[in-house]
Amino acid sequence: MTEAPVSELDVPYEGLARTATPDFARDGFIHLSDVLSPETIAEYEPTITSEVIRLNTQDLPLAERDTYGKAFLQVTNLWQQNEKVKQLVFSHRLAGIAAKLLGVHAVRLYHDQALYKEPSGGITPWHADQYYWPLSSDRCLTIWLPLQETPMEMGPVSFARGSHNFSYGRDLPISDESEARLKQAVAEQDFEDVVEPFALGDASFHRGWTFHHAGPNRGTVPRRVMTVIYMDADIRVAEPTNDNQVADRNWMPGIEIGQVPDTPLNPVLYDSRTA
């Protein structure tokens, strides 16, 4: 009997440098090459794109949207809608990178988000993701995985190096105000604004408090990106500090403040003790 081929998603990533974990702790982000092969991207992109088209609820023309609406089409927790997408979101390979970068033994899923910046789509304003997360520590991160080659004209994500240690602006949701105030703060603090094109198969990882943004999509096709948010498996739910964090508790149903979010929606995706 022929054994089924091993999926790349189940094979550990060997591209982390010896200094990757301390570099990530210092910079607040990392851009990695060959995280997935072009063949794996080609296997999953059509399904993700079809699900984004099916589930997207944005029906206003670009010109009639606000800044946030012009930034991208956003669809969350695709893994619940499609078994193929679930294979990618639950990838042992990707979660293993996340755990190693955070320096934790295990990570669990917070949720996923597809972010599709349409042709002529606008900027993604400066912001920090953890503004939205009612979590007890900063041991959480997002993978930003483009589903096509992403040159500069398509608006790749850009990070303020070291800004995850800067407490100013953590009370700002993504908005015109966050764009103006954080752009000024990043310049005044002399944080390097790091923006690079992404080759097919590249991915970046950034901490929850790392300030980041993206330019407009001046290309002729959508900038298709899949993101997954991972958190330390031992993290706890914290008292919400804003209305968005109150709403975000829906990603951890039934969990009280101070408890570990051990729910069917937040499974452990990687544990080095059993890997």
Side-chain angles (χ1 to χ4, degrees):
M1 183 175 180
T2 304
E3 293 185 2
V6 177
S7 169
E8 181 181 50
L9 298 179
D10 297 323
V11 177
Y13 176 67
E14 302 294 344
L16 279 183
R18 180 178 55 83
T19 61
T21 300
D23 289 348
F24 185 71
R26 179 196 64 217
D27 295 339
F29 73 94
I30 194 168
H31 180 154
L32 300 175
S33 299
D34 302 318
V35 172
L36 295 177
S37 67
E39 292 77 15
T40 296
I41 297 290
E43 181 181 351
Y44 288 90
E45 180 276 322
T47 301
I48 295 171
T49 297
S50 66
E51 288 297 291
V52 170
I53 293 170
R54 181 175 74 89
L55 298 168
N56 167 58
T57 59
Q58 176 62 264
D59 55 8
L60 288 175
L62 265 172
E64 297 178 19
R65 303 179 203 168
D66 62 12
T67 300
Y68 188 91
K70 291 176 181 176
F72 40 64
L73 303 178
Q74 182 177 16
V75 182
T76 304
N77 266 6
L78 286 177
W79 75 266
Q80 292 182 281
Q81 305 292 330
N82 187 284
E83 283 296 316
K84 185 74 173 178
V85 180
K86 182 178 178 179
Q87 293 173 12
L88 180 66
V89 172
F90 280 46
S91 164
H92 193 78
R93 182 184 184 92
L94 302 181
I97 299 172
K100 290 171 185 175
L101 292 175
L102 288 173
V104 299
H105 67 81
V107 293
R108 65 175 72 247
L109 176 68
Y110 190 29
H111 57 78
D112 70 52
Q113 293 180 324
L115 303 175
Y116 275 43
K117 191 182 288 287
E118 299 154 279
S120 300
I123 66 165
T124 304
W126 278 105
H127 67 286
D129 298 340
Q130 199 156 347
Y131 164 84
Y132 295 91
W133 305 341
L135 301 174
S136 62
S137 83
D138 64 353
R139 297 292 181 179
C140 39
L141 59 72
T142 301
I143 179 176
W144 197 87
L145 176 66
L147 302 176
Q148 74 291 302
E149 184 178 353
T150 309
M152 298 296 285
E153 61 263 28
M154 291 184 74
V157 66
S158 176
F159 303 103
R161 191 189 303 275
S163 60
H164 59 303
N165 296 316
F166 184 52
S167 59
Y168 174 83
R170 292 185 175 186
D171 59 341
L172 296 173
I174 184 171
S175 60
D176 292 329
E177 182 183 6
S178 73
E179 170 67 11
R181 289 175 57 184
L182 292 176
K183 182 177 181 179
Q184 179 179 356
V186 165
E188 289 176 348
Q189 296 296 315
D190 201 27
F191 290 124
E192 182 184 3
D193 183 8
V194 182
V195 57
E196 300 171 322
F198 282 67
L200 187 62
D202 285 8
S204 63
F205 293 75
H206 63 273
R207 298 188 76 122
W209 285 120
T210 301
F211 290 116
H212 56 287
H213 69 133
N217 182 4
R218 297 188 175 92
T220 59
V221 297
R223 189 209 68 183
R224 296 154 289 164
V225 172
M226 189 64 184
T227 71
V228 183
I229 302 163
Y230 305 92
M231 51 189 174
D232 177 3
D234 296 326
I235 210 165
R236 296 177 183 273
V237 176
E239 185 77 46
T241 60
N242 58 59
D243 290 343
N244 288 286
Q245 289 191 7
V246 172
D248 240 36
R249 288 192 62 194
N250 291 330
W251 303 124
M252 303 170 287
I255 301 300
E256 300 298 327
I257 293 168
Q259 293 182 332
V260 173
D262 185 11
T263 84
L265 295 186
N266 311 112
V268 173
L269 300 182
Y270 174 87
D271 190 329
S272 62
R273 298 167 298 185
T274 58

